[in-house]
Amino acid sequence: LAAILAAALALGCGSAERRLEAATALRHGGDAKGALAAYKELLADLGEGPLPEDQAEVRWKALRSAGDVSYLELGDYTGALSYYRRIVSLHPGAKEAYEARGVIGDIYRDRFKDPLAAIAQYADVAASDSPEAPRYQLEVARAYLAIPRYEQARTEARLLREKWPTHELADEAYFRNLLLVSAANNVSIASYPSLFSSVVSVAAHDLAAPDAWVYNPKPPVEFGAFGLNVDVAWRGGTRMVVTGNSFAA
């Protein structure tokens, strides 16, 4: 009780940092609604415009805390989304924005049962330079697997292996029953990720039957598939006839 009373006094005056601490004390004291009201008041005073670095950090923490309280403690998922989206808007391309996108994706997936909206958020992080990009590439593959869109799930799992061939999450994708397929190199040299044990390696054959698959009992190349003069979709809505192991895979 004393801590809550002290927090209430601090909310009436003091710096932004003190007001943030006071709001967090209300939350830790079990007053989620009071904490959210305090975060809202602080955010209203800080506004949406540019701020000095220390106040910008306070605003981010208040937004994140308001989103977390709304999401985890009050069950207001729509309200939570609004706070996380403000973080994305205020910190484009920053760690804070990618963290917020991940939570937005989780809310769409787990609470609104909207896997495509979740995939859009996860894919944005996966395409970034965030250290969490491999994790969210795996989340994209998992989400497609759950829909189920198996071909797209395989494609996303293959992207995980190709972009981060030594990352432990690539092996996790394999152990979660995602089939990872990679083309072997077009020349006779070691090529990765096709040589990894958790990846199916494919090379081109020139048999007249395009649907024929050839199994090789002596890897590293495990399968042969049609890859000679393959008609494929290309950039700009065009088509092109191409040859190579990539198009067999």
Side-chain angles (χ1 to χ4, degrees):
L1 179 60
I4 294 177
L5 289 174
L9 290 172
L11 289 171
C13 60
S15 66
E17 290 86 351
R18 286 192 63 193
R19 293 173 66 188
L20 177 65
E21 291 171 0
T24 302
L26 289 174
R27 182 184 179 190
H28 291 166
D31 186 4
K33 290 183 178 179
L36 182 59
Y39 290 132
K40 285 182 176 179
E41 184 178 346
L42 174 56
L43 289 167
D45 289 343
L46 290 172
E48 298 292 325
L51 291 172
E53 184 176 348
D54 58 338
Q55 292 192 29
E57 184 176 1
V58 169
R59 179 171 62 188
W60 162 67
K61 289 180 178 179
L63 284 169
R64 180 62 193 251
S65 296
D68 290 350
V69 168
S70 299
Y71 174 27
L72 301 172
E73 295 168 44
L74 298 178
D76 179 8
Y77 308 127
T78 300
L81 287 176
S82 70
Y83 292 114
Y84 296 129
R85 284 175 177 147
R86 285 174 67 186
I87 294 175
V88 173
S89 176
L90 289 167
H91 301 273
K95 178 189 72 171
E96 294 85 354
Y98 295 132
E99 290 175 350
R101 283 195 181 278
V103 181
I104 292 171
D106 292 346
I107 292 174
Y108 276 125
R109 180 192 63 193
D110 300 332
R111 304 303 178 182
F112 292 128
K113 307 304 179 184
D114 188 344
L116 292 180
I119 286 169
Q121 299 298 322
Y122 297 151
D124 187 84
V125 184
S128 73
D129 59 359
S130 168
E132 294 296 307
R135 171 191 165 196
Y136 283 101
Q137 182 62 42
L138 179 59
E139 292 295 344
V140 171
R142 287 174 177 166
Y144 276 119
L145 188 64
I147 292 178
R149 293 188 183 177
Y150 298 125
E151 290 299 325
Q152 190 62 40
R154 292 188 188 103
T155 297
E156 300 299 338
R158 184 172 68 244
L159 286 174
L160 171 61
R161 174 62 85 179
E162 290 175 352
K163 290 181 70 174
W164 300 281
T166 62
H167 200 284
E168 62 184 10
L169 289 179
D171 284 334
E172 182 176 341
Y174 171 77
F175 289 116
R176 288 180 180 271
N177 295 321
L178 291 175
L179 180 62
L180 307 177
V181 180
S182 175
N185 202 306
N186 285 316
V187 296
S188 297
I189 61 173
S191 61
Y192 295 91
S194 65
L195 291 182
F196 286 112
S197 60
S198 55
V199 176
V200 174
S201 177
V202 179
H205 68 59
D206 59 357
L207 299 178
D211 294 330
W213 290 21
V214 179
Y215 172 64
N216 177 22
K218 296 180 180 180
V221 174
E222 294 168 286
F223 288 94
F226 187 69
L228 178 67
N229 297 328
V230 182
D231 180 46
V232 299
W234 208 252
R235 293 187 295 268
T238 62
R239 302 193 70 80
M240 182 172 286
V241 176
V242 294
T243 295
N245 291 347
S246 295
F247 307 103

